[in-house]
């Protein structure tokens, strides 16, 4: 009967998680994202999110590492392995390529991946030789080495993501509870985004001038005229946009590639491929920054109104407002309930983070690990095990996923939930979320101190202990580094280093540059006025 209940719970959770993953892909992916990329992203997210409900089922006493669970875990793990290390990286480089034909893009993607695999193969052979000579190898053989290296890579990433998330999740709720501080952050972000947007616009103006000059100067018999026409057509999206820049702030004009373009009379194909990639990236960057600027100004304008009304009685605010009950509830939430709710959640998440750190530091001594004690006290009942493991595992995964979705890598990787996430960013996210699939499960099993022989998940990745001196010890005790990294995040070591080097960053815990904030406020007022004027013109 308990097994039937677990099966029903697993099916319902599977459908729910699949729905959440599909909805998230819809919210994040751009409208022009290829269907196969969206489908692959749904799979990546659903596959990794599923560990939240599947692992507690595996830990239940009535399952006993049965064959069905072993088959499910084997399918999920090896599908993740193949996708994360072969198929998705090829697709990733395919959509990143600036080539003009599908076959050329595919060749570029293969070459880029083969270079990586060639270097990895050499290192793998050296590592395997060292392992055999010094420690020998168990029955897992080369397959075990592959699993070990894959999980070591994923575990290293997982350490950084979890160490950041377990501090930033509670801290972000605490900081965002203050409307005034949120407004101050919007001012800072508006000033920063506007500067970046002006530079991006200047780069586009400069690039457009190079392409125009190039198109006018080439002879009629130029063999790559079609490729140049494709680049010119890509730039037509800027025809109805006043970039309001003259190219004097362009960073691109100072690069070696810009110098090559200025000197080129008849650019060869590799130069056009590089130019095509640059044009595409520059256009995406400008529109992303423009949208971010509009969103920030709109958010700041709303916060200005709310901050101005904070001292007024709620009854008078609700009577003055229009929109009926929904508007009144929104005002009550933003002005009265939001702050206390966010602060309570911050305390709850901070407590969970402390328990997580405690469990990580005592991973080798399960008798004093809070999550291990909780699991042992509940392990005689399937329902109790689900409750005792679902909450900490959900929080652990949420912290890691939060970090990966918040991460920004220059102009290469950005996740935007307003349907503005590009194809490369979706594939990048999918690749790395799959690579932490195994480490999440292995780390949580170690945290609760369960007998590994009774867990189906461990049977699938159990070959991690190819070398006793490296496998078990490295993959069990390395998560202690999570605590060290979390302390660095907690004490803002990164921000302090940047400020020491003279790099400006926004901080919630200390005063920020007043001139910068005033500049941001002015920009918000300008953008808000422009939006109001545009709305009035449309109405008239």
């Amino acid at each position: 009967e308990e097994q039937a209940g677990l099966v029903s719970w697993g099916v319902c959770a599977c459908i729910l998680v699949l729905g959440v993953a599909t909805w998230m892909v819809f919210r994040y992916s751009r409208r022009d994202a290829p269907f196969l990329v969206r489908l692959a992203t749904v799979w990546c997210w659903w596959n990794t999110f599923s560990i939240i409900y599947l692992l507690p089922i595996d830990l239940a006493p009535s399952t006993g590492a049965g064959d069905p669970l072993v088959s499910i875990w084997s399918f999920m793990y090896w599908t993740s392995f193949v996708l994360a290390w072969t198929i998705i990286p090829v697709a990733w480089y395919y959509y990143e390529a600036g080539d003009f034909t599908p076959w050329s893009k595919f060749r570029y993607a293969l070459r880029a991946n083969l270079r990586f695999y060639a270097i990895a193969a050499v290192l793998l052979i050296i590592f395997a030789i060292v392992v055999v000579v010094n420690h020998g190898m168990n029955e897992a053989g080369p397959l075990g080495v592959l699993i070990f290296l894959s999980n070591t890579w994923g575990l290293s990433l997982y350490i950084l993501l979890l160490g950041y998330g377990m501090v930033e999740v509670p801290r972000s709720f605490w900081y965002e509870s203050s409307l005034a501080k949120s407004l101050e952050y919007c001012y800072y972000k508006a000033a920063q985004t506007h500067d970046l947007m002006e530079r991006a616009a200047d780069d586009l103006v400069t690039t457009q001038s190079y392409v125009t000059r190039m198109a006018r100067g080439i002879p009629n018999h130029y063999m790559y005229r079609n490729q140049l026409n494709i680049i010119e057509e890509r730039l037509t999206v800027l025809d109805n946009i006043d970039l309001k820049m003259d190219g004097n702030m362009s960073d691109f004009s100072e690069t070696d590639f810009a110098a090559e373009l200025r000197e080129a009379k008849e650019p060869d194909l590799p130069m056009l491929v590089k130019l095509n990639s640059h044009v595409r990236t520059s256009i995406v960057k400008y529109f992303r920054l423009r949208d971010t600027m509009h969103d920030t100004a709109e958010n700041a304008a709303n916060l200005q109104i709310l901050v101005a009304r904070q001292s007024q009685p709620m009854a008078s605010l609700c009577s003055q407002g229009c929109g009926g009950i929904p508007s009144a509830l929104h005002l009550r939430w933003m002005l009265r309930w939001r702050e206390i709710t966010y602060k309570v959640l911050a305390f709850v998440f901070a407590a969970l983070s402390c328990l997580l750190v405690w469990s990580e530091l005592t991973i080798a001594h399960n008798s004093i690990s809070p999550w291990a004690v909780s699991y042992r006290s509940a392990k005689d009942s399937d329902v109790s095990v689900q409750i005792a493991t679902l909450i900490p595992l959900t929080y652990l995964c949420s912290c890691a996923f939060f970090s990966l979705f918040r991460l920004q890598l220059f102009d290469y990787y950005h996740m935007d939930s307003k349907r503005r996430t590009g194809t490369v960013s979706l594939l990048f996210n999918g690749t790395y979320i799959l690579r932490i699939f195994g480490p999440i499960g292995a780390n949580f099993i170690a945290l609760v101190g369960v007998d590994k022989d009774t867990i189906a998940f461990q049977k699938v990745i159990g070959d991690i202990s190819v070398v006793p001196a490296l496998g078990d010890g490295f993959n069990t005790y390395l998560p202690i580094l999570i605590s060290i990294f979390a302390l660095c995040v907690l004490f803002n070591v990164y921000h302090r280093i940047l400020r020491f080097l003279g790099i400006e960053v926004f901080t919630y815990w200390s005063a920020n540059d007043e001139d910068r904030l005033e500049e941001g406020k002015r920009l918000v007022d300008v953008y808000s006025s422009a939006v109001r004027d545009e709305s009035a013109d449309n109405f008239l």
Side-chain angles (χ1 to χ4, degrees), residues 91-100 104-106 108-109 234 273 276-277 280 424:
W92 169 359
Y93 278 100
Y94 176 89
Y95 288 106
E96 185 186 50
D99 297 82
F100 297 94
S104 299
K105 292 182 179 181
F106 184 65
Y108 167 81
R234 194 183 291 276
V273 167
N276 186 41
S277 178
R280 183 188 60 203
V424 173

Side-chain angles (χ1 to χ4, degrees), residues 151-225:
N151 282 282
T152 300
W153 169 270
L155 191 60
S156 302
L157 175 64
Y158 169 68
I159 286 170
L160 299 178
L161 295 178
L162 185 59
Y164 177 84
M166 65 197 304
V167 174
E168 282 302 312
V169 167
R171 189 156 65 180
S172 62
F173 274 93
W174 180 266
Y175 287 149
E176 291 175 17
S177 65
S178 169
L179 293 178
K181 205 64 180 180
S182 297
L183 178 59
E184 188 176 313
Y185 173 71
C186 284
Y187 288 156
Y188 174 85
K189 187 176 180 180
Q192 182 187 52
T193 304
H194 185 263
D195 289 347
L196 294 173
M197 187 178 69
E198 283 193 332
R199 291 187 177 278
D202 243 11
D203 285 347
L204 276 177
V205 168
T206 302
T207 303
Q208 200 169 23
S209 67
Y210 290 163
V211 173
T212 302
R213 180 193 59 79
M214 192 182 297
R216 291 175 179 172
I218 61 174
N220 294 329
H221 62 272
Y222 179 57
M223 64 185 301
Y224 299 121
R225 167 66 71 175

Side-chain angles (χ1 to χ4, degrees), residues 54-61 63 375 379 385-386 389 444-445 448 450 455:
L54 267 180
L55 199 54
I57 291 175
D58 196 1
L59 291 168
T63 55
Y375 169 73
K379 68 178 182 178
V385 166
Q386 302 308 296
T389 57
F444 189 75
I445 288 173
V448 298
V450 66
I455 304 300

Side-chain angles (χ1 to χ4, degrees), residues 69 71 98 111 115 150 154 162 169 210 235 268 276 329 440 475-477 499:
L69 272 175
S71 300
R111 285 198 302 268
R115 282 195 296 268
S150 173
L162 185 59
V169 167
Y210 290 163
L235 287 165
D268 55 12
N276 186 41
L329 288 176
I440 287 176
N475 288 278
T476 300
Y477 297 106
R499 283 200 162 186

